[in-house]
Amino acid sequence: MTEPIIRVKDLHKKYDDFEAVRGISFEVMEGEIFGLLGPNGAGKSTTLEIIETLRSKTSGEVIVKGFNLDTQPNEIKKIIGVQLQTSGFYPNLNLVELINLFAGLYNQTVDPLALLDKVNLRDKSKAKYKEMSGGQKQRFSIATTLINQPQIIFLDEPTTGLDPQARRNLWELIRTIREQGTTVIITTHYMDEAEVLCDRVAIIDQGKIIALNAPGELIDQLVESGFEKPGEVKKANLEDVFIQLTGHVLREN
Ligand code: ADP
């Protein structure tokens, strides 16, 4: 983690009279997993899609790896990977066909099986998209973000709707991608996920960043302020029980 790969300065976005993003500024460091957290409607997706060049901004400055969003959006597109909503895939194509389709769109040559290996889906290479489980679909959609060998990937709520094993499996995948040198920006409304996965998080509410720090630092600050959790704090939760009983091996085939 050395220098900022993304700089967002005083970003505003208005939809007609409604200001969804109200002067957001933050920097994402190269090689980190950065989380945007917040309740529904906070402005997370809007912010993400502006940086991804998919949505126009009202004002503010966005610089990605030195490229200015206003003047060099195509340069930005070349170095980022964006996760499509899972509904964006042709259901009747198999995984290799889908990868070849996307590679064609990106004008890239890829080895589909090597890419499927990265997300542990090689044995599903001939399966149709619609035949996969929720976790497999998410892993596949993350694989497609890697086709153009991006320096940054954007993941919008990647684990929504997954069971605990599939979620943990996806966290491992995201960590592996980061270890291979890719910066990751993720939105989530699962706080446990942000706590274990993100190096730093920005908490967004009503279009503004209300906190930005490492999860551990934010927790320490709260505790130092005199906060005490009501009731007895147990050393494990029900999810730990579930994982302990069912194992953390994926059983989604
Ligand atoms: P989040 O991702 O945090 O749930 P969004 O960025 O999707 O939040 O939305 C922020 C606010 O902007 C919400 O109030 C939403 O209704 C509004 N909004 C999002 N997209 C549009 C749009 N295309 N037109 C008008 N309002 C929108």
Side-chain angles (χ1 to χ4, degrees):
M1 240 181 271
T2 44
E3 56 186 270
I5 193 164
I6 296 177
R7 295 175 199 265
V8 175
K9 215 160 135 191
D10 201 20
L11 183 68
H12 290 258
K13 173 67 181 179
K14 268 190 172 173
Y15 295 110
D16 297 322
D17 284 345
F18 176 68
E19 194 170 24
V21 175
R22 306 176 183 198
I24 278 184
S25 302
F26 63 93
E27 292 180 342
V28 177
M29 300 298 160
E30 194 155 3
E32 78 176 332
I33 302 178
F34 187 87
L36 290 176
L37 315 183
N40 287 334
K44 305 182 295 293
S45 297
T46 300
T47 303
L48 216 61
E49 287 171 13
I50 290 170
I51 305 170
E52 291 167 351
T53 76
L54 299 177
R55 204 176 274 260
S56 66
K57 61 184 166 59
T58 303
S59 64
E61 188 179 66
V62 177
I63 309 280
V64 180
K65 192 80 188 181
F67 299 116
N68 190 312
L69 178 68
D70 292 332
T71 52
Q72 297 159 296
N74 290 331
E75 299 305 316
I76 294 179
K77 278 182 200 156
K78 282 184 204 157
I79 60 159
I80 64 171
V82 174
Q83 190 185 16
L84 289 178
Q85 294 302 314
T86 49
S87 57
F89 296 105
Y90 293 104
N92 286 313
L93 293 185
N94 73 36
L95 302 193
V96 169
E97 290 166 337
L98 280 168
I99 289 173
N100 285 330
L101 177 71
F102 282 106
L105 294 176
Y106 283 121
N107 216 0
Q108 297 274 331
T109 318
V110 291
D111 175 352
L113 292 180
L115 188 61
L116 289 174
D117 256 343
K118 280 193 179 177
V119 295
N120 204 11
L121 284 174
R122 180 188 271 259
D123 58 339
K124 293 278 166 192
S125 62
K126 292 277 160 26
K128 288 179 179 164
Y129 180 75
K130 66 178 181 189
E131 294 163 355
M132 292 194 296
S133 72
Q136 291 166 341
K137 283 179 177 162
Q138 286 289 2
R139 291 213 301 282
F140 181 71
S141 81
I142 291 179
T144 63
T145 70
L146 301 174
I147 286 175
N148 61 334
Q149 299 179 320
Q151 297 184 33
I152 311 166
I153 60 169
F154 295 81
L155 307 176
D156 201 355
E157 310 255 347
T159 64
T160 298
L162 299 186
D163 67 45
Q165 282 102 342
R167 284 176 80 211
R168 282 166 199 231
N169 192 270
L170 217 70
W171 297 346
E172 275 168 35
L173 173 62
I174 293 168
R175 285 197 196 101
T176 307
I177 290 171
R178 184 268 288 280
E179 274 157 26
Q180 289 164 358
T182 308
T183 304
V184 180
I185 303 193
I186 179 172
T187 69
T188 181
H189 53 254
Y190 296 120
M191 297 304 134
D192 58 335
E193 174 163 300
E195 197 177 329
V196 298
L197 196 57
C198 296
D199 298 304
R200 292 187 310 139
V201 297
I203 300 181
I204 304 186
D205 193 25
Q206 297 183 348
K208 289 188 170 165
I209 292 183
I210 52 174
L212 197 164
N213 212 331
E217 296 283 334
L218 290 171
I219 294 166
D220 288 347
Q221 284 166 10
L222 180 66
V223 171
E224 278 162 23
S225 76
F227 176 87
E228 275 182 44
K229 233 182 182 153
E232 188 187 345
V233 180
K234 295 190 176 164
K235 284 187 179 158
N237 62 21
L238 188 59
E239 180 164 312
D240 297 320
V241 174
F242 179 86
I243 294 284
Q244 198 64 28
L245 290 174
T246 61
H248 110 294
V249 180
L250 275 180
R251 260 178 277 145
E252 57 184 9
N253 296 319

